[in-house]
């Protein structure tokens, strides 16, 4: 800073300064004109300091700017060109603001301290002057405060002989006055802004409401007067003046059934029990009809005793809205009924730009299909996708994003792990559309295809079984045909063997030695056994081919049992098995006598053959309603439970193929076939180590013709 020269005495004494300030204050009180007050203070400042020019400014905080600026309250007119004259015009409009703080006055604002410079051109704190600006020989800047808050500053320049520190103290009364007037200016500006904002807000509020078709009302409780806006009356068809100004005039228009509820809603708010008045009721319109309106309002002014003095609100004609809502509700009700009847879920699915997924809508069947309420997964579909089968989940997600990227129709079938523990098949298909925010909205349908999948699997299984059965039947027919031909082919030479064996045995002229006669007997017995097997095999093939016919006649059961047991007693004696015959019962059955004897010989013969030395066989016959049962019980080794199902399978001897007992394994299969041809059935009950019981069930009454 340059050395300070000796300064001349102030042009005004301290007493004159105080008198000038007092006059400015008195004029401000009389005129209430802040601009004039600041202009007069600037004149006093210039006279007191004998300065060439100066200014008074307030600290100004602009919206969005971190650094404050300086708005001029008063400034000397030192315009020198068009640009500076435009600047002065801004001051007259109250809009002249200095923002560059790299200057001497900027140092005052930044530091909050006085700045004195008697050689600005050499002072490093100076930011220079605009081209054409009046020369500045010296400068003094002084801040003024309200408490610790910096409110603004004064600045003066070009005092002959320069400035000194003594002026700082001398000018304190003027600085205090500047602070007081700045506070007053801000309060006045705030009041005007609040009033302007309030008027603008009310205008906007009323315009917005009336543009939307809502009427405005204003209720003066103390004087019992209600003001209605033009739209407020027009919604009901009334002109201005048609409705009286009192609250009773309005209540007279309310439907009698709705008046108590409306009054109660208003009283609740007036007592402070409800945040606002809210009532939907019917009001008589100018044409005499009643219309639904929605009344909303709020107390905005209460007296010291808490009683309401003023309320404002709006009235909305709800007739069209309610009619539209009723139509919408009816349409939605129909849609819900249709959706409930549909065997699936109607839905909207949104794929968001950030890859989130949500369900804006899903029909009522959603929870039944997936086992979770829609609300739990509506905004986070991944919670639902997590329950998709592990093998199907990657493909499902990829298909969604692929359809979304191309805005293409989507269809996918996947397995879902339901909360009840079941695995369900779900088929989804939908059509997408691109939304303005980049989302893709799918409209579609989800359906449970579990039953269809099971049916498809069952049909596939049945088809496989049909093919297997067809192959088995074809093989069986081939086998039957083969066995039939082979049986015939074998019977011819076998009959010759039996015939010659019988001749050898019975021809007295041959006079065979005993040993050779025994050989012939063996040949004949073996031939007879083989012939029986071939006959059984031929009968079995004929049964399987449906070519075996049985007679239907009344057969005395006692006679057939006597024949069979007489034929088998030698076999039982040879095996040392005791055979117990049933007592005569006079029972008769429907069937083929020859085939019945064939079945009984097989059952009793097996009981003897598969018994043990010293064992026993019991034969019982019992009559029931329309049926007769013949049971054959033995004391043999019994049959394991897991092998009972194999008993009636041809050629299956249950692992005894290489035992001491001969046989081909066709006897039981043939017997069951013959029993069924006679409308009967053979059942078995057996326990290992306890023997077996075979029961033949036959009808006593005639059975239908085939």
């Amino acid at each position: 800073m340059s050395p300070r020269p000796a300064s001349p005495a102030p042009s005004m004494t301290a007493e004159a300064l105080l008198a000038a300030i007092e006059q400015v204050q008195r004029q401000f009180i009389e005129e209430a004109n802040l601009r004039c007050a600041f202009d007069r203070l600037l004149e006093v400042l210039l006279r007191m300091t004998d300065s060439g020019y100066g200014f008074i400014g307030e600290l100004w905080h602009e919206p969005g700017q971190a650094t404050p600026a300086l708005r001029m309250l008063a400034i000397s007119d030192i315009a020198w060109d068009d640009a500076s004259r435009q600047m002065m015009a801004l001051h007259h409009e109250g809009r002249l603001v200095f923002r560059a703080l790299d200057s001497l006055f900027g140092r005052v604002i930044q530091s909050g301290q006085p700045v004195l410079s008697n050689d600005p051109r050499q002072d490093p704190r100076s930011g220079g002057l605009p081209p054409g600006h009046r020369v500045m020989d010296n400068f003094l800047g002084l801040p003024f405060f309200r408490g610790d808050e910096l409110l603004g500053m004064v600045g003066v320049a070009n005092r002959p002989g320069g400035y000194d520190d003594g002026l700082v103290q001398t000018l304190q009364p003027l600085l205090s006055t500047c602070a007081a007037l700045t506070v007053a200016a801000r309060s006045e500006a705030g009041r005007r802004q609040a009033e302007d904002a309030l008027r603008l807000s009310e205008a906007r509020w009323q315009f917005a409401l009336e543009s939307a078709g809502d009427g405005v009302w204003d209720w003066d409780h103390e004087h019992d007067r209600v003001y209605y806006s033009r739209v407020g009356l027009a919604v009901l068809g009334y002109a201005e003046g048609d409705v009286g100004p009192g609250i009773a005039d309005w209540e007279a228009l309310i439907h009698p059934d709705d008046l108590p509820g409306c009054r109660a809603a208003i009283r609740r708010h007036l007592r402070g029990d409800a945040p606002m008045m809210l009532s939907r009721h019917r009001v008589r319109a100018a044409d005499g009809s009643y219309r639904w309106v929605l009344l909303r309002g709020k107390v905005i002014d209460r007296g010291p005793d808490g009683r309401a003095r003023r309320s404002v609100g709006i009235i909305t004609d709800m007739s069209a809205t309610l009619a539209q809502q009723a139509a919408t509700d009816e349409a939605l009700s129909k849609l819900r009924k249709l959706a409930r009847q549909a065997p699936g879920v109607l839905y909207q699915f949104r794929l968001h730009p950030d890859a989130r997924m949500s369900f804006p809508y899903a029909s009522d069947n959603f929870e039944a299909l997936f086992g979770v309420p829609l609300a739990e997964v509506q905004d986070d579909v991944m919670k639902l996708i997590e329950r998709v089968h592990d093998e199907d989940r990657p493909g499902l997600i990829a298909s969604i994003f692929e359809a979304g990227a191309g805005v293409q129709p989507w269809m996918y079938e996947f397995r879902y792990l339901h909360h009840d523990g079941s695995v369900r098949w779900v088929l989804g298909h939908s059509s997408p559309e691109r939304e303005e925010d980049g989302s893709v909205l799918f409209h579609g349908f989800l359906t449970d295809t579990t039953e269809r999948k099971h049916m498809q699997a069952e049909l596939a299984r049945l088809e496989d079984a049909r093919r297997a059965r067809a192959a088995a039947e074809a093989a069986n027919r081939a086998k039957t045909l083969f066995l039939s031909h082979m049986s015939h082919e074998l019977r011819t030479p076998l009959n010759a063997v039996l015939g010659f064996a019988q001749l050898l045995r019975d021809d007295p002229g041959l006079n065979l030695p005993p040993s050779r006669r025994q050989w012939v007997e063996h040949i004949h017995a073996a031939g007879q056994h083989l012939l029986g097997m071939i006959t059984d095999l031929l009968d079995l093939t004929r049964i399987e081919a449906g070519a075996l016919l049985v007679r239907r006649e009344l057969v005395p059961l006692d006679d057939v049992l006597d024949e069979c047991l007489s034929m088998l007693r030698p076999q039982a004696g040879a095996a040392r098995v005791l055979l117990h015959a049933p007592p005569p019962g006079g029972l008769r059955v429907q069937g083929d006598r020859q085939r019945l004897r064939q079945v009984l010989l097989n059952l009793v013969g097996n009981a003897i053959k598969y018994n043990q030395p010293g064992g026993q066989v019991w034969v019982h016959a019992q009559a029931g309603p329309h049926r007769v049962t013949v049971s054959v019980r033995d004391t043999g080794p019994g049959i394991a439970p897991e092998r009972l199902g194999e008993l009636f399978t041809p050629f299956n001897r249950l692992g005894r193929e290489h035992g001491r007992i001969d046989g081909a394994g066709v006897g039981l299969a043939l017997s069951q076939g013959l029993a069924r041809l006679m409308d009967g059935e053979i059942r078995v009950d057996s326990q290992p180590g306890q023997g077996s019981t075979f029961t033949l069930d036959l009808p006593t009454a005639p059975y239908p013709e085939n």
Side-chain angles (χ1 to χ4, degrees), residues 462-478:
L462 291 175
E463 178 61 19
D464 291 342
R466 186 193 64 79
R467 292 176 179 174
R469 185 172 61 253
E473 290 174 352
N476 194 51
R477 285 193 298 271

Side-chain angles (χ1 to χ4, degrees), residues 198-221:
L198 180 59
R199 284 192 296 269
L200 180 60
S201 175
E202 288 182 349
R204 287 175 175 170
W205 175 64
Q206 184 162 338
F207 173 76
L209 291 174
E210 294 191 348
S211 297
D214 294 330
V216 180
W217 54 266
D218 190 333
W219 181 9
D220 182 350
H221 293 262

Side-chain angles (χ1 to χ4, degrees), residues 492-508:
T492 301
L494 185 56
N495 284 329
V497 171
L498 288 173
F500 284 111
Q502 189 174 357
L503 289 174
L504 290 172
R505 184 192 63 185
D506 297 337
D507 188 351

